[in-house]
Amino acid sequence: NVGSAGWLIAVWLITGVMTLIAALSYGELSAMFPRAGGQYVYLKEAYNPLIGFLYGWSFFAVIQTGTIAAVGVAFSKFLAYLVPELGNNYFLFDAGIVKVYSGQLVAIVIIVLLTYVNSRGIKEGKFIQTIFTSAKLLALLGLIVFGFVLVKDSFWAENWKTGFTAMQDFGVKDAVGTLQPSTWIGISGSALIGAIAAAMVGSIFSSDAWNNVTFIAGEVKNPKKNIGLSLFLGTLIVTIIYVSANLMYVSVMP
């Protein structure tokens, strides 16, 4: 979307700064209201119980439900690389109003399983979180380190030629209507702002859900200190990892 290595990294940095500011704000709120419920509690206290009520139901019906569904589908999609029969493209049967694929069932099963584990209590949920978070961190750190150290052909200099000059490819359609790249020209002003906004759709989604930490404020030891600290350190670590991963991409991808 932004057409340059400089703005690619800038997008992730902007997202990281936004997330850190929001996390620190929530840290203050969690210290003021160290109760279970997170945003529900803050909206109820800041405005009135009706606003908290409406948010709680929209969160349950759409916001968190949609996010959980998206992650469940993504899980089945990537699992299909290892076991193709469990993917979203493996047709099982036609249920009339909907066609059922094995990937859908995998997503449902994993959601039900994790819901059951979390319903057992904080300790069980903590065990699952620790395993999956550690696996993701180690995988990303491995990609970052090996991407820089073991890269066969580095494209770092080539990708940084444009620096912070955002570029847009104005292609032309061939005889069959396929868009072919032709001329790259620099963009600025409102076009650049639009490109940054479009690019941040992905980076903000990737950085979302940090606020979920506040839901269990009522069950955490010394929440006035620990919730704010975990929000700050968690979002900071994620920002550093995302920026580092994208720097690695700039190095290894032509």
Side-chain angles (χ1 to χ4, degrees):
N1 283 310
V2 290
S4 75
W7 279 111
L8 167 70
I9 303 304
V11 162
W12 285 99
L13 286 171
I14 294 168
T15 300
V17 170
M18 285 174 56
T19 306
L20 280 165
I21 291 170
L24 290 171
S25 300
Y26 266 52
E28 290 292 321
L29 288 168
S30 66
M32 293 169 65
F33 308 106
R35 305 197 297 271
Q39 284 165 282
Y40 165 79
V41 175
Y42 310 149
L43 289 170
K44 179 183 175 183
E45 296 291 339
Y47 301 104
N48 56 59
L50 175 62
I51 299 297
F53 173 84
L54 291 173
Y55 170 76
W57 275 103
S58 63
F59 187 85
F60 173 75
V62 181
I63 303 170
Q64 191 70 359
T65 312
T67 304
I68 290 170
V71 174
V73 170
F75 177 85
S76 62
K77 175 184 176 182
F78 293 121
L79 182 64
Y81 284 100
L82 301 174
V83 187
E85 291 79 10
L86 297 179
N88 296 318
N89 296 321
Y90 197 84
F91 179 75
L92 292 179
F93 59 89
D94 192 337
I97 58 173
V98 64
K99 292 181 179 179
V100 179
Y101 294 84
S102 56
Q104 294 170 320
L105 298 182
V106 169
I108 292 169
V109 168
I110 199 71
I111 290 170
V112 170
L113 177 62
L114 291 174
T115 301
Y116 170 75
V117 171
N118 280 293
S119 70
R120 299 284 295 172
I122 296 295
K123 288 184 178 179
E124 287 78 3
K126 175 188 171 184
F127 177 72
I128 293 290
Q129 288 278 29
T130 302
I131 289 174
F132 280 89
T133 303
S134 300
K136 285 185 284 189
L137 284 172
L138 288 171
L140 283 165
L141 286 171
L143 281 170
I144 292 164
V145 172
F146 295 137
F148 280 114
V149 176
L150 300 180
V151 61
K152 183 180 180 181
D153 297 306
S154 177
F155 297 91
W156 181 268
E158 181 183 340
N159 284 327
W160 277 100
K161 279 181 181 178
T162 55
F164 280 88
T165 303
M167 307 292 285
Q168 182 69 49
D169 177 24
F170 285 84
V172 292
K173 288 187 177 181
D174 60 19
V176 294
T178 304
L179 193 66
Q180 300 292 340
S182 57
T183 305
W184 285 80
I185 66 168
I187 58 172
S188 59
S190 58
L192 176 58
I193 293 171
I196 292 170
M200 288 181 69
V201 171
S203 61
I204 290 176
F205 182 82
S206 300
S207 304
D208 197 15
W210 48 267
N211 54 300
N212 292 359
V213 174
T214 59
F215 293 159
I216 57 169
E219 302 178 65
V220 175
K221 292 179 181 178
N222 193 7
K224 291 186 177 181
K225 174 187 174 184
N226 290 330
I227 294 292
L229 191 62
S230 65
L231 280 167
F232 172 69
L233 291 176
T235 50
L236 178 63
I237 290 168
V238 169
T239 298
I240 292 170
I241 287 174
Y242 283 169
V243 172
S244 300
N246 279 274
L247 287 169
M248 181 270 293
Y249 296 151
V250 172
S251 176
V252 303
M253 297 180 73

